[in-house]
Amino acid sequence: KAGVTQTPRYLIKTRGQQVTLSCSPISGHRSVSWYQQTPGQGLQFLFEYFSETQRNKGNFPGRFSGRQFSNSRSEMNVSTLELGDSALYLCASSWDSQSSGNTIYFGEGSWLTVV
Amino acid sequence: QKEVEQNSGPLSVPEGAIASLNCTYSDRGSQSFFWYRQYSGKSPELIMSIYSNGDKEDGRFTAQLNKASQYVSLLIRDSQPSDSATYLCAMNSGGYQKVTFGIGTKLQVIP
């Protein structure tokens, strides 16, 4: 069974540009969530989607957005990139999102460097 | 106060010893608790999940949960150099699949 797949794995962008990251969840998983990991802040929750609806959102500015498609695949977008957006962006998927507390499984992540 | 508190370490233990990793949390409503292991440059991988008070064992790993004390721990028996990694304590908070992570404890197993 394939795991969570994230693309691209590595990318370098310039300040002011925008970036789109893609995530394909584990087959059958309907919840997709996104996290940002930096050395200083650790893993921070960005948002969670289920059935194409955003159900939870973390404390990030509106430059960070996401969406989910009918096949559960998800994308996140960061506009007007800042140097501080350099981070590992992790996508995670979960099986049963009708209840809380299900285990989330991470993809390998997308390493974003903003220069 | 952070929602999930962990000592960032590093925690150094000799090979074959027991490594004890600890975590405290502030949200009494949390029901689901997880330990993830993250090697440098890699993504987190799930080691254990625990939902009820007490101990849960899986091979060399034992997770312990005490909801009254708001405390979660992970014991690694017979520690191996390959266990050297950062261990992230996490819990479900805010409903659905929102998971809050601690900063992680870096474990070093010395051969």
Side-chain angles (χ1 to χ4, degrees):
Chain A
K1 196 172 187 180
V4 179
T5 304
Q6 290 187 245
T7 57
R9 292 291 320 283
Y10 305 92
L11 64 166
I12 300 173
K13 291 288 188 178
T14 304
R15 274 182 301 174
Q17 287 186 315
Q18 72 165 11
V19 65
T20 298
L21 308 177
S22 180
C23 173
S24 294
I26 293 171
S27 178
H29 285 193
R30 297 170 64 192
S31 167
V32 174
S33 49
W34 289 88
Y35 292 80
Q36 180 197 65
Q37 188 174 34
T38 58
Q41 298 297 317
L43 262 166
Q44 292 189 289
F45 174 81
L46 280 159
F47 25 66
E48 186 232 349
Y49 288 88
F50 176 75
S51 290
E52 303 177 64
T53 300
Q54 184 183 90
R55 298 199 303 182
N56 262 314
K57 190 177 190 303
N59 295 322
F60 279 83
R63 299 185 297 108
F64 292 81
S65 63
R67 59 177 176 169
Q68 186 181 34
F69 302 97
S70 58
N71 61 359
S72 295
R73 192 176 67 84
S74 177
E75 289 181 347
M76 68 161 284
N77 183 278
V78 188
S79 62
T80 319
L81 284 165
E82 301 176 359
L83 295 178
D85 296 333
S86 296
L88 174 64
Y89 290 88
L90 290 159
C91 173
S93 74
S94 178
W95 168 246
D96 179 8
S97 288
Q98 294 303 313
S99 61
S100 315
N102 301 115
T103 304
I104 62 173
Y105 298 91
F106 286 97
E108 292 185 312
S110 293
W111 290 91
L112 171 65
T113 301
V114 182
V115 298
Chain B
Q1 181 189 7
K2 289 188 176 180
E3 292 183 59
V4 182
E5 296 272 4
Q6 285 184 267
N7 189 319
S8 60
L11 172 66
S12 294
V13 300
E15 183 175 354
I18 295 175
S20 177
L21 304 162
N22 305 311
C23 172
T24 59
Y25 62 93
S26 59
D27 183 3
R28 286 191 172 274
S30 295
Q31 297 294 321
S32 307
F33 303 86
F34 312 94
W35 282 99
Y36 287 82
R37 176 177 62 197
Q38 186 173 26
Y39 292 111
S40 181
K42 302 293 185 182
S43 63
E45 57 178 325
L46 179 74
I47 298 176
M48 298 274 287
S49 58
I50 186 166
Y51 305 97
S52 304
N53 278 327
D55 296 358
K56 180 180 179 182
E57 187 175 318
D58 184 0
R60 296 186 296 112
F61 299 95
T62 299
Q64 300 174 317
L65 173 60
N66 184 324
K67 291 186 179 180
S69 300
Q70 295 174 254
Y71 177 90
V72 188
S73 66
L74 179 71
L75 300 177
I76 306 174
R77 290 180 299 281
D78 188 24
S79 294
Q80 301 297 309
S82 58
D83 294 327
S84 298
T86 296
Y87 289 80
L88 300 162
C89 174
M91 56 203 59
N92 184 266
S93 61
Y96 301 112
Q97 309 315 321
K98 179 183 179 184
V99 179
T100 300
F101 288 82
I103 195 68
T105 298
K106 185 173 183 178
L107 173 67
Q108 296 176 338
V109 180
I110 312 300

